[in-house]
Amino acid sequence: MRYVSTRGTAPELGFCDVLLAGLATDGGLYVPEVWPPLPDLSDVRSYAEAAAAVMAPFVGDEIPHDTFSKLCNDAYATFRHDAVVPLVQIGNDEWLLEQFHGPTLAFKDVALQLLGRLFDHVLSQRGQRVTIIGATSGDTGSAAIDAVKDCANVDIVILYPAGRTSAVQRRQMTTVDSPNVHTAAVEGNFDDCQDLVKAMFNDAAFRDRMGLSAVNSINWARVMAQIVYYVTACRSLRATADAGVTFSVPTGNFGNVLSGWIAREMGAPINDFIVASNSNDIMTRFINDNDMSARTVTPTVSPSMDIQVSSNFERLLFEINDRDGAMTAEQLRRFRHAGSLHIEADQVARWITPVFRAARFDDAATVAEIRRVYESSGQLIDPHTATGTAAVHALDATRDGRPVVTLATAHPAKFPEAVQQATGILPSLPMHMADIFDRVERINLVSNDLAAVQAFVEAAVTRH
Ligand SMILES: *Cc1c(COP(=O)(O)O)cnc(C)c1O
């Protein structure tokens, strides 16, 4: 399998180079040159086996299949549920797909546990080391740290805004005791952290000296790993082409829902998708009103969806443009300048309307929804998941009797305040994390200044 850039001018690469590169050199995102059909899964017995089979055509012959299967086994053995990503029924024809049984309690673990192992494997084959740098508002940082904490060939440095993550999120990062894990509490906000990361990548001498790499949500391997649970959910529900599943997806960067769209292209029996947003509703405005214009980010009770530009949408845009990279690059250049993206009405009618519905919910509606689901099913759900079930309810998506599945993207105990406000119940952390408030934290306060952060990274990575 070869990979092409959505902006058309970067060199074609194989899987391992795409994995390590993250972004293409023309600023685009890598996608496979074709969408392969789903393999026959009739003999598959476990999630890890399904994962190895579904992803095999994307990896090609770059990693021996036995090795790749073992990496999948190891990655999904870290989940605390035998089904890895299990379904739970919450209503007639209505299910939750629980994606939070991994080490850090959010859906990011599903992709990142595999990504860490893929990085370590490829780097050791090549005799290379990298320093992964990332900025986080909470979930990605802890999931990335957990994924690479035992990797011999990876150092990781995560920047987070001091005082602006939840206590659980911060402690999941600062209590990990591994010599290759480093965190910096930046005296600024999340955008400052992201700007510092970008500036470090743009400093070519620093980038090459430190061997900088990234595992953010535009990395193709993350999108790839997320295809699997759409396929296994359809299988568990015995879905058929005539009675395909509707998936409701709490959406920020458009990575999770894009993976579902790919599963559908590969032949999974999926009817359509509901894109659920919080007040940061750029994707909902686009799907409902063909208005893709960036606004300022509003903080909400579902912080992992507080995003104003959904970067993974670029991969769908490339398809809408019949894989014309030059046209995609030009549209994105205009989007950056004008702050809005225009897509022709006939393209929307062909690509968007038949496959996507959307709805948005503010904090009050989200909290009310947590209460409604608790009262109707006894399930506690987190505020991200609540936007998804609220959209199912608002659009009356179970009306035609198809199975409707909301992706439960985080464990309720990761966002306890909203859950307690809604239900009066303080959700408890799973056992492996029950002592997180007793563990020793290592907090490194760093000023919001490029030179200071670079000095921190250099010292942290060379010290051990
Ligand atoms: C990252 C995240 C999302 C958003 O997923 P995207 O792939 O960015 O659309 C939703 N919910 C939770 C809990 C997350 O961590």
Side-chain angles (χ1 to χ4, degrees):
M1 178 69 84
R2 305 293 292 170
Y3 287 82
V4 297
S5 165
T6 51
R7 300 197 190 173
T9 53
E12 289 186 15
L13 299 178
F15 176 76
C16 294
D17 286 327
V18 166
L19 171 78
L20 297 183
L23 205 66
T25 50
D26 57 6
L29 312 186
Y30 275 108
V31 289
E33 60 188 350
V34 291
W35 300 119
L38 282 181
D40 174 19
L41 297 175
S42 44
D43 291 335
V44 159
R45 286 288 161 274
S46 69
Y47 186 88
E49 283 175 31
V54 169
M55 291 187 276
F58 296 113
V59 176
D61 55 11
E62 295 217 348
I63 299 175
H65 192 67
D66 286 353
T67 306
F68 185 60
S69 295
K70 181 173 181 324
L71 296 176
C72 290
N73 270 325
D74 293 348
Y76 298 119
T78 64
F79 281 60
R80 298 174 318 285
H81 195 298
D82 277 354
V84 180
V85 183
L87 283 164
V88 171
Q89 190 162 10
I90 55 165
N92 297 311
D93 303 316
E94 197 181 346
W95 282 264
L96 294 175
L97 186 63
E98 293 186 341
Q99 309 191 287
F100 52 69
H101 294 281
T104 71
L105 313 182
F107 97 95
K108 309 279 193 297
D109 287 328
V110 182
L112 282 166
Q113 285 295 318
L114 180 65
L115 207 73
R117 286 165 176 81
L118 284 168
F119 258 74
D120 217 27
H121 169 76
V122 174
L123 290 168
S124 73
Q125 292 284 304
R126 296 181 174 189
Q128 254 176 278
R129 254 194 106 73
V130 296
T131 301
I132 290 173
I133 297 239
T136 189
S137 55
D139 288 343
T140 304
S142 51
I145 285 173
D146 195 278
V148 303
K149 66 180 195 288
D150 299 319
C151 292
N153 305 299
V154 177
D155 283 287
I156 186 165
V157 182
I158 295 290
L159 275 49
Y160 65 91
R164 300 196 195 208
T165 60
S166 82
V168 173
Q169 287 177 321
R170 186 192 68 241
R171 284 179 161 271
Q172 282 180 327
M173 298 188 279
T174 58
T175 62
V176 176
D177 187 12
S178 290
N180 64 332
V181 170
H182 317 279
T183 59
V186 174
E187 295 171 310
N189 60 29
F190 173 61
D191 288 335
D192 296 327
C193 294
Q194 242 177 345
D195 289 345
L196 287 163
V197 168
K198 276 192 205 137
M200 284 189 269
F201 274 95
N202 287 335
D203 179 342
F206 183 78
R207 185 185 64 213
D208 294 344
R209 189 165 70 248
M210 304 306 300
L212 293 193
S213 186
V215 294
N216 44 18
S217 76
I218 49 93
N219 191 302
W220 161 253
R222 284 185 61 179
V223 174
M224 172 186 80
Q226 294 165 185
I227 298 168
V228 177
Y229 44 70
Y230 287 94
V231 176
T232 58
C234 289
R235 260 187 109 215
S236 298
L237 291 168
R238 308 273 188 273
T240 59
D242 297 336
V245 179
T246 293
F247 283 98
S248 180
V249 188
T251 294
N253 243 327
F254 205 72
N256 206 353
V257 66
L258 177 80
S259 298
W261 182 87
I262 295 168
R264 188 173 181 273
E265 286 294 297
M266 293 171 76
I270 297 171
N271 190 61
D272 65 343
F273 301 93
I274 298 172
V275 171
S277 316
N278 60 26
S279 302
N280 302 291
D281 61 347
I282 184 166
M283 288 312 303
T284 294
R285 283 183 283 117
F286 169 62
I287 291 165
N288 289 341
D289 308 313
N290 196 8
D291 164 22
M292 173 122 27
S293 55
R295 296 183 183 163
T296 53
V297 174
T298 313
T300 71
V301 291
S302 44
S304 301
M305 294 158 57
D306 292 349
I307 282 166
Q308 65 159 325
V309 176
S310 299
S311 42
N312 259 303
F313 179 72
E314 178 165 344
R315 289 189 162 106
L316 185 61
L317 183 63
F318 183 60
E319 302 292 335
I320 293 172
N321 291 334
D322 283 323
R323 297 201 149 212
D324 182 333
M327 183 171 169
T328 306
E330 174 57 22
Q331 274 175 320
L332 290 162
R333 200 186 56 75
R334 266 188 266 139
F335 182 47
R336 244 189 341 272
H337 282 269
S340 80
L341 186 76
H342 179 71
I343 295 176
E344 298 299 331
D346 58 329
Q347 299 288 56
V348 173
R350 177 169 159 219
W351 289 92
I352 304 298
T353 316
V355 190
F356 298 99
R357 290 178 275 175
R360 71 178 282 280
F361 301 92
D362 63 16
D363 281 357
T366 303
V367 171
E369 174 66 7
I370 295 173
R371 186 177 316 120
R372 187 190 71 80
V373 169
Y374 179 65
E375 284 170 356
S376 64
S377 71
Q379 286 287 327
L380 290 178
I381 58 171
D382 101 289
H384 302 79
T385 306
T387 64
T389 58
V392 170
H393 200 62
L395 298 172
D396 196 12
T398 53
R399 183 179 43 208
D400 56 8
R402 292 178 204 282
V404 178
V405 175
T406 295
L407 304 195
T409 51
H411 191 289
K414 207 160 182 182
F415 301 95
E417 293 83 8
V419 178
Q420 187 172 36
Q421 188 193 341
T423 63
I425 298 169
L426 189 66
S428 49
L429 285 162
M431 217 135 60
H432 79 286
M433 230 179 257
D435 68 340
I436 194 158
F437 285 94
D438 305 325
R439 294 182 204 161
V440 178
E441 278 196 271
R442 285 162 219 77
I443 293 183
N444 305 297
L445 202 61
V446 181
S447 61
N448 178 15
D449 170 71
L450 180 60
V453 173
Q454 285 182 314
F456 173 81
V457 172
E458 199 130 12
V461 171
T462 42
R463 196 160 49 224
H464 76 91

